[in-house]
Short mmCIF file of all heavy atoms in Angstrom, two decimals:
data_model
loop_
_atom_site.label_atom_id
_atom_site.label_comp_id
_atom_site.label_asym_id
_atom_site.label_seq_id
_atom_site.Cartn_x
_atom_site.Cartn_y
_atom_site.Cartn_z
N MET A 8 0.23 20.82 3.33
CA MET A 8 -0.73 21.85 2.94
C MET A 8 -0.19 23.23 3.28
O MET A 8 0.60 23.40 4.20
CB MET A 8 -2.07 21.63 3.66
CG MET A 8 -2.80 20.37 3.22
SD MET A 8 -3.20 20.31 1.46
CE MET A 8 -4.55 21.46 1.37
N VAL A 21 -6.58 18.98 -4.98
CA VAL A 21 -5.42 18.10 -5.19
C VAL A 21 -5.59 16.82 -4.38
O VAL A 21 -5.24 15.73 -4.85
CB VAL A 21 -4.11 18.83 -4.81
CG1 VAL A 21 -2.94 17.87 -4.79
CG2 VAL A 21 -3.86 19.98 -5.75
N ASP A 24 -7.83 14.57 -6.24
CA ASP A 24 -7.12 14.01 -7.40
C ASP A 24 -6.17 12.88 -6.98
O ASP A 24 -6.07 11.86 -7.66
CB ASP A 24 -6.33 15.10 -8.12
CG ASP A 24 -7.23 16.09 -8.83
OD1 ASP A 24 -8.42 15.80 -9.03
OD2 ASP A 24 -6.73 17.19 -9.17
N ILE A 25 -5.48 13.09 -5.87
CA ILE A 25 -4.57 12.05 -5.38
C ILE A 25 -5.35 10.80 -5.01
O ILE A 25 -4.97 9.68 -5.35
CB ILE A 25 -3.75 12.56 -4.17
CG1 ILE A 25 -2.74 13.63 -4.63
CG2 ILE A 25 -3.03 11.40 -3.46
CD1 ILE A 25 -2.07 14.36 -3.49
N LEU A 37 -0.07 17.07 6.20
CA LEU A 37 0.84 17.75 7.12
C LEU A 37 0.42 19.22 7.14
O LEU A 37 0.40 19.87 6.09
CB LEU A 37 2.24 17.60 6.55
CG LEU A 37 3.46 17.76 7.39
CD1 LEU A 37 3.48 16.77 8.53
CD2 LEU A 37 4.69 17.57 6.52
N SER A 40 -2.69 23.48 12.94
CA SER A 40 -3.95 23.09 13.57
C SER A 40 -5.16 23.80 12.95
O SER A 40 -6.22 23.20 12.79
CB SER A 40 -3.91 23.32 15.07
OG SER A 40 -3.62 24.67 15.35
N LEU A 45 -10.11 23.04 9.35
CA LEU A 45 -10.76 23.29 8.06
C LEU A 45 -10.95 22.01 7.25
O LEU A 45 -11.98 21.82 6.61
CB LEU A 45 -9.91 24.29 7.26
CG LEU A 45 -10.36 24.60 5.85
CD1 LEU A 45 -11.54 25.54 5.88
CD2 LEU A 45 -9.22 25.21 5.06
N ALA A 48 -13.31 17.46 7.78
CA ALA A 48 -14.47 16.83 7.15
C ALA A 48 -14.19 16.34 5.73
O ALA A 48 -15.06 15.75 5.10
CB ALA A 48 -15.65 17.79 7.14
N ILE A 56 -0.92 15.09 10.35
CA ILE A 56 0.23 15.39 11.20
C ILE A 56 0.17 16.90 11.36
O ILE A 56 0.19 17.65 10.38
CB ILE A 56 1.57 14.97 10.55
CG1 ILE A 56 1.60 13.47 10.32
CG2 ILE A 56 2.73 15.40 11.44
CD1 ILE A 56 2.82 12.99 9.54
N ASP A 61 3.41 27.19 18.23
CA ASP A 61 4.56 27.89 18.79
C ASP A 61 5.70 27.92 17.76
O ASP A 61 6.23 26.88 17.38
CB ASP A 61 5.01 27.17 20.07
CG ASP A 61 6.21 27.79 20.74
OD1 ASP A 61 6.84 28.70 20.16
OD2 ASP A 61 6.52 27.37 21.86
#
Side-chain angles (χ1 to χ4, degrees):
M8 293 301 285
V21 170
D24 291 344
I25 291 170
L37 200 59
S40 57
L45 176 77
I56 298 174
D61 179 351

